[in-house]
Amino acid sequence: AVSEYGFALKYASEELKNNYEIVKIAVSQNGFTLGYASEELKNNFEIVKIAVSDCGYNLQYASEDLKNNFEIVKTAVSKHGHVLEYASEELKNNFEIVKTAVSEYGVALKYASEELKNNFEIVKTAVSRNGLALLYASEELKNNYEIVKIAVSKNGSVLIFASEEVKKLCFDGILSNYDSSDSDEDEE
């Protein structure tokens, strides 16, 4: 049954939910069935790798140990960046993992460590993907004109998340562009 309908695992006995071959077949058919596997098999590297390769969301069902496994988490966040939420604290502070996540989904910056929310390259990648990521950047980087400019170019409404100093720079730039275009028309 599980080879044709993986969700049949939901109704299986505890013994079958702990059977490696049965769970592997179910997870191969539909990765979400990892949620019905035994705790032991949620800690099995091969089973979890199949599930997160199918859909990154399945990281939420993995054991805490595997939520701290670089390969498992990188596979998951490369498919769905916002599942960084389910990664271990250690991996939320791993440059490569977080860069992969924010490259896929900029707002995944929300789940990064405070240290990486203050990393220029990480934040630049995040706001380049989605301007709303500025909301989760460190105060220092909300005060960085280049970061804010990129974010605003993606979504003008995110200017409200910038520091007052950068808002003023942005408005001054807009006004000077407006004034210079106004004076060009006067010269004609």
Side-chain angles (χ1 to χ4, degrees), residues 18-163:
N18 196 40
N19 180 294
Y20 176 85
E21 292 303 323
I22 297 290
V23 173
K24 184 177 178 183
I25 291 168
V27 169
S28 297
Q29 198 279 326
N30 187 318
F32 281 106
T33 59
L34 179 63
Y36 303 117
S38 69
E39 293 305 312
E40 181 180 332
L41 292 178
K42 288 178 183 178
N43 193 39
N44 180 284
F45 180 87
E46 187 177 351
I47 297 282
V48 173
K49 178 80 181 219
I50 292 167
V52 299
S53 295
D54 177 52
C55 179
Y57 285 111
N58 296 324
L59 182 62
Q60 67 186 309
Y61 304 119
S63 69
E64 293 305 312
D65 284 346
L66 291 179
K67 288 177 182 177
N68 193 40
N69 179 285
F70 181 89
E71 186 178 342
I72 294 286
V73 174
K74 186 162 185 195
T75 300
V77 299
S78 68
K79 294 196 164 287
H80 298 101
H82 57 285
V83 301
L84 181 61
E85 172 183 5
Y86 303 112
S88 68
E89 293 305 312
E90 181 180 332
L91 292 180
K92 288 178 182 179
N93 194 41
N94 179 286
F95 182 89
E96 188 176 343
I97 293 287
V98 173
K99 179 120 189 235
T100 301
V102 300
S103 294
E104 198 285 318
Y105 180 68
V107 180
L109 184 63
K110 174 180 182 178
Y111 303 110
S113 68
E114 293 305 312
E115 180 181 333
L116 292 179
K117 288 178 182 179
N118 194 41
N119 179 287
F120 183 86
E121 187 178 341
I122 293 284
V123 174
K124 182 177 179 183
T125 301
V127 299
S128 295
R129 186 78 171 115
N130 185 326
L132 285 172
L134 184 63
L135 173 64
Y136 303 108
S138 68
E139 291 305 313
E140 181 179 331
L141 291 178
K142 287 179 184 176
N143 196 36
N144 181 290
Y145 182 76
E146 183 181 349
I147 293 288
V148 173
K149 184 177 173 184
I150 293 167
V152 169
S153 75
K154 296 290 180 182
N155 182 338
S157 66
V158 301
L159 187 57
I160 64 171
F161 303 124
S163 70

